[in-house]
Amino acid sequence: MHQELKSELTKQIIMDAAFKLFYENGFKTTSIDKIMTATKLSKGAFYHHYKSKKELGLELIGTKLQERVYQGMIMPLSDSGDAFKLLEATFSNRIKTFSFYDKQHGCPMNNFINEIGDFEDAYQLALKKIVEQWQDALVNLIERGKIENTIRKDVSSRAVAVYLISAFEGVRGIRKLYDNDAVLDDYLEGLSLYLKQLKP
């Protein structure tokens, strides 16, 4: 049991270090050597848990990345209450809670998509799964809003979902270019204007 715990702890150390390095420096430029230097563990420890950097990357996408998007952008959409207000609050609150570090480095998922989304089918499928879960959660909320009459019945729920995700991910990337939050403030104003058009 002690050995299993130690092994799981080692794996977690590798995943945490890799995620940080991928986030800050990119997936392609981060080598296994750099990851292991950051962990202060041996290279043998890496290969005990993973066959390759690809295997590690896919696990990170399916766990840490997916959990991050779920906690921040999917789970809040399932709360009770006015669907329109929930939609507005989820996007605006998330933007407002990002740390300086997050603003500097953008969205981890968006970074992965831009760097390796078209690099290999396995990465594409893993990233697409997260985006589609987010889209589905938004569609469900928008459809609920139509029933509750807080969102116009004639809007395309999927089109709105795709637009909201794209705008959010886009501004996360653009913010990396600046040393202040003016672009985020403009995004929030634009978001408010767009969402008002969805009201009956």
Side-chain angles (χ1 to χ4, degrees):
M1 184 65 182
H2 176 70
Q3 188 58 38
E4 284 179 24
L5 191 63
K6 187 179 175 184
S7 180
E8 192 54 43
L9 181 62
T10 299
K11 190 174 183 182
Q12 198 58 55
I13 290 168
I14 294 169
M15 287 180 69
D16 289 345
F19 186 80
K20 186 173 188 293
L21 288 168
F22 292 158
Y23 190 21
E24 293 176 359
N25 306 316
F27 180 80
K28 289 181 181 177
T29 59
T30 301
S31 65
I32 292 170
D33 286 337
K34 285 180 183 174
I35 295 167
M36 299 322 291
T37 297
T39 65
K40 297 182 172 57
L41 296 169
S42 70
K43 211 166 179 180
F46 178 91
Y47 286 109
H48 176 73
H49 294 285
Y50 301 101
K51 293 176 186 173
S52 62
K53 188 174 82 167
K54 175 185 173 181
E55 187 177 46
L56 169 62
L58 287 170
E59 184 167 342
L60 279 174
I61 292 168
T63 55
K64 282 187 171 294
L65 206 56
Q66 186 160 355
E67 181 64 16
R68 185 181 167 111
V69 175
Y70 178 79
Q71 292 293 334
M73 297 305 297
I74 296 175
M75 190 176 68
L77 299 173
S78 63
D79 288 349
S80 58
D82 183 309
F84 178 85
K85 288 180 181 173
L86 200 55
L87 191 64
E88 189 172 40
T90 299
F91 281 88
S92 61
N93 290 347
R94 187 67 174 149
I95 284 287
K96 292 172 185 175
T97 58
F98 285 122
S99 67
F100 179 71
Y101 176 81
D102 286 322
K103 290 171 186 176
Q104 269 187 312
H105 299 293
C107 173
M109 181 178 73
N110 198 23
N111 293 349
F112 267 105
I113 289 170
N114 287 325
E115 189 180 8
I116 60 170
D118 62 348
F119 186 56
E120 209 170 304
D121 287 348
Y123 296 129
Q124 191 174 59
L125 289 171
L127 291 162
K128 196 187 292 184
K129 181 182 175 185
I130 300 173
V131 172
E132 289 176 353
Q133 285 175 344
W134 190 2
Q135 284 178 358
D136 289 344
L138 281 165
V139 166
N140 290 339
L141 178 64
I142 294 163
E143 287 298 313
R144 177 160 74 82
K146 290 178 182 180
I147 293 167
E148 295 169 353
N149 204 37
T150 57
I151 294 174
R152 278 172 36 204
K153 291 178 169 52
D154 63 332
V155 301
S156 164
S157 300
R158 189 149 295 277
V160 171
V162 169
Y163 179 80
L164 288 172
I165 291 171
S166 300
F168 181 85
E169 291 299 322
V171 81
R172 292 294 316 281
I174 292 169
R175 172 59 181 81
K176 293 192 289 185
L177 301 174
Y178 298 94
D179 61 0
N180 62 63
D181 289 344
V183 72
L184 296 183
D185 295 337
D186 288 340
Y187 163 81
L188 288 170
E189 186 178 343
L191 174 69
S192 179
L193 290 169
Y194 174 76
L195 291 177
K196 280 175 185 171
Q197 297 176 59
L198 303 182
K199 295 187 87 170

